[in-house]
């Protein structure tokens, strides 16, 4: 089942490339998200400016380690617009992540021509993951690894390939056909990842 753990680390970022309405920039200095209003393709509407405080521009405890996911041993502190309303309309966000157990991180990209680019990263290295490409990161060391990632969207989205395939109610026979796996293997993965059918 080693391959499955490896597969579980493959992430697919779509970055929901939100089209930020540039009109906000022209008429006001900022547009703090009003999270009580529905989000639209151009982001959240602005909070009433008279209620904006300095705290809207600050995200606290970015480096606090959150709960580790039991399936992939990764923690993530998202500073996206939903957690950090000051990012609204700015097209940027960040995440702080820890990976157990390891000191170095192996980062990789799989291009649309299925070429693989991967390397073990050292402290201080920055790696860019182009928008929309399959990517993976895993801890290749012996101690915990800490990662800071930034995004060119204030509300980025990620789709884990194993979850996309096995955590839903799509019939096992169909998943088996599209994934070239045996039905029994698909059923085992569905059980492991919370899928049905
Ligand atoms: C913003 O809040 C102020 C003070 O409560 C209020 O007077 C003003 O009408 C509000 N503006 C909008 C656009 O709701
Ligand atoms: C997660 O970490 C624990 C403790 O280090 C380890 O026993 C377990 O095998 C890891 N799980 C995965 C999916 O790597």
């Amino acid at each position: 089942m080693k391959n499955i753990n490896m597969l579980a680390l493959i992430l697919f970022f779509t970055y929901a490339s939100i089209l930020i309405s540039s009109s906000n920039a022209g008429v006001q200095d900022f547009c703090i998200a009003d999270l009580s209003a529905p989000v639209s393709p151009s982001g959240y509407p602005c909070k009433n400016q008279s209620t904006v405080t300095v705290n809207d521009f600050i995200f606290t405890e970015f480096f606090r380690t959150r709960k580790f996911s039991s399936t992939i041993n990764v923690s993530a502190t998202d500073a996206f617009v939903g957690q950090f309303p000051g990012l609204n309309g700015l097209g940027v966000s960040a995440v702080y992540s820890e990976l157990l157990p390891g000191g170095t991180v192996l980062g990789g990209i799989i291009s649309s021509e299925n070429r693989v680019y991967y390397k073990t990263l050292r402290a201080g290295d920055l790696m860019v993951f182009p928008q929309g490409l399959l990517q993976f990161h895993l801890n290749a060391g012996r101690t915990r690894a800490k990662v800071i990632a930034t995004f060119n969207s204030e509300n980025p989205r990620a789709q884990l390939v194993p979850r996309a395939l096995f955590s839903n109610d799509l019939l096992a026979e169909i998943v088996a056909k599209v994934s070239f796996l045996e039905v029994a293997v698909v059923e085992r993965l569905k059980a492991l990842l919370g899928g049905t059918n």
Side-chain angles (χ1 to χ4, degrees):
M1 299 298 276
K2 247 194 191 141
N3 289 341
I4 290 158
N5 289 344
M6 173 90 171
L7 198 64
L9 286 162
I10 297 178
L11 298 170
F12 181 36
F13 282 85
T14 61
Y15 293 103
S17 44
I18 287 178
L19 298 171
I20 304 307
S21 76
S22 52
S23 60
N24 283 338
V27 295
Q28 55 193 68
D29 291 342
F30 48 78
C31 174
I32 307 296
D34 176 2
L35 296 179
S36 67
V39 67
S40 77
S42 59
Y44 284 94
C46 311
K47 186 172 154 178
N48 187 329
Q49 204 140 337
S50 68
T51 67
V52 171
T53 71
V54 65
N55 291 332
D56 290 314
F57 299 95
I58 296 168
F59 182 92
T60 53
E61 298 193 79
F62 187 50
F63 295 116
R64 182 156 72 83
T65 304
R66 266 46 174 196
K67 199 170 165 283
F68 284 88
S69 138
S70 57
T71 40
I72 56 172
N73 276 347
V74 172
S75 80
T77 302
D78 296 340
F80 303 159
V81 69
Q83 299 81 27
F84 190 5
L87 295 181
N88 197 41
L90 300 183
V92 294
S93 62
V95 67
Y96 171 67
S97 179
E98 293 191 13
L99 295 86
L100 291 176
T104 54
V105 172
L106 190 130
I109 299 163
I110 304 173
S111 76
S112 60
E113 281 115 31
N114 298 321
R115 276 195 68 181
V116 181
Y117 304 84
Y118 75 94
K119 191 176 180 185
T120 299
L121 306 175
R122 305 283 165 199
D125 286 352
L126 271 180
M127 182 167 183
V128 64
F129 296 90
Q131 184 170 331
L133 293 188
L134 275 170
Q135 55 179 272
F136 56 91
H137 334 94
L138 59 93
N139 195 329
R142 294 204 184 96
T143 57
R144 186 177 296 195
K146 301 184 178 186
V147 173
I148 298 169
T150 60
F151 304 89
N152 59 342
S153 159
E154 77 260 19
N155 201 10
R157 301 286 177 208
Q159 195 172 25
L160 258 66
V161 171
R163 288 209 179 283
L165 280 174
F166 307 115
S167 298
N168 56 38
D169 59 3
L170 186 59
L171 287 175
E173 288 75 16
I174 298 177
V175 178
K177 283 244 188 298
V178 299
S179 64
F180 301 100
L181 294 171
E182 285 167 25
V183 175
V185 173
V186 172
E187 284 170 349
R188 209 160 67 234
L189 289 166
K190 275 178 170 283
L192 184 70
L193 294 167
T196 56
N197 289 331

